[in-house]
């Protein structure tokens, strides 16, 4: 998969510094996705769609997600979100990814996945950071330690948490802390497509 960085077909390459997204580079795959992602994306969706619908019910949102990823993608495409969002990211020494949310239109699947392709021995720093902000509170940062090949599944924008006074929404953002040495590659799997 790391080798695909230089050999695959991509729809666009983003220099993160140019857009103020941090430092490093990422590329969005074009359709058809590489075989591993063509398989993984709907399979992971199958495992997550129940939780996504439970979250929406708990947050009092009326929308529900269809059982099959192909039906959700059709919904995205009909709404003009036709461009594929799976991506591969490359960080070198000094690079980082500022805290953000991967929202590309009105259709947003509330969970996403990032997979560490590199061996953690090959870099220092470069930690996956997930912040959560409860209503009227400051943000709390979580660092997720990943082994090579591990995936982290996290909230794109918000998730429901049950408190003593009912359910409230926790806001999330994610990013990557600065690399101090080496190189780090990840694959990001976002389930909605982009406008
Ligand atoms: O490189 C990472 O660990 C995070 C990449 C990212 O922002 C994403 O997959 O959406
Ligand atoms: Fe992201």
């Amino acid at each position: 998969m790391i080798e695909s960085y230089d050999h695959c077909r991509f729809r666009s390459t983003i220099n993160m510094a140019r857009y103020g997204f941090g430092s490093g580079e990422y590329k969005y795959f074009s359709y058809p996705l590489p075989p591993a992602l063509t398989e993984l994306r709907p399979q992971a969706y199958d495992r997550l769609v129940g939780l996504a619908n439970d979250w929406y019910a708990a947050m009092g949102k009326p929308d529900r997600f269809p059982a099959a990823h192909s039906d959700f993608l059709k919904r995205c495409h009909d709404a003009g979100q036709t461009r594929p969002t799976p991506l591969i990211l490359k960080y070198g020494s000094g690079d980082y990814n500022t805290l953000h949310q991967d929202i590309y239109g009105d259709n947003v699947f509330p969970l996403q996945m990032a997979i560490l392709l590199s061996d953690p021995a090959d870099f220092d720093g470069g930690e996956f950071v997930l912040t959560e902000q409860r209503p009227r509170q400051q943000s709390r940062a979580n660092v997720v330690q990943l082994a090579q090949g591990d995936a982290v599944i996290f909230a794109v924008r918000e998730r429901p948490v049950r408190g003593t006074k009912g359910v409230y929404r926790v806001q999330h953002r994610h990013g990557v802390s600065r690399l101090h040495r080496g190189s780090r590659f990840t694959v990001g799997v976002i389930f909605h497509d982009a406008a």
Side-chain angles (χ1 to χ4, degrees), residues 97 100 102 112 154 174 190:
N97 191 344
H100 66 276
D102 291 303
Q112 72 182 82
F154 53 99
H174 66 276
I190 294 153

Side-chain angles (χ1 to χ4, degrees), residues 87 89 91 97 100 102 112-114 128 146 154 174-176 184 186-190:
L87 73 169
L89 304 97
Y91 307 84
N97 191 344
H100 66 276
D102 291 303
Q112 72 182 82
M113 183 159 79
F128 182 88
L146 299 170
F154 53 99
H174 66 276
V176 176
R184 177 185 184 276
T186 46
V187 161
V189 179
I190 294 153

Side-chain angles (χ1 to χ4, degrees), residues 11 16 30 40 52 57 97 108 119 127 133 139 158 173 193:
R11 69 169 171 88
M16 292 164 66
S30 39
L40 177 64
N97 191 344
V108 178
D119 182 338
E127 295 151 305
Q133 186 180 25
S139 295
E158 56 185 2
R173 293 194 297 158
D193 274 350

Side-chain angles (χ1 to χ4, degrees), residues 98-121:
T98 54
L99 293 167
H100 66 276
Q101 296 175 326
D102 291 303
I103 294 166
Y104 297 92
D106 290 340
N107 286 282
V108 178
F109 188 74
L111 290 135
Q112 72 182 82
M113 183 159 79
I115 302 164
L116 180 63
L117 299 177
S118 301
D119 182 338

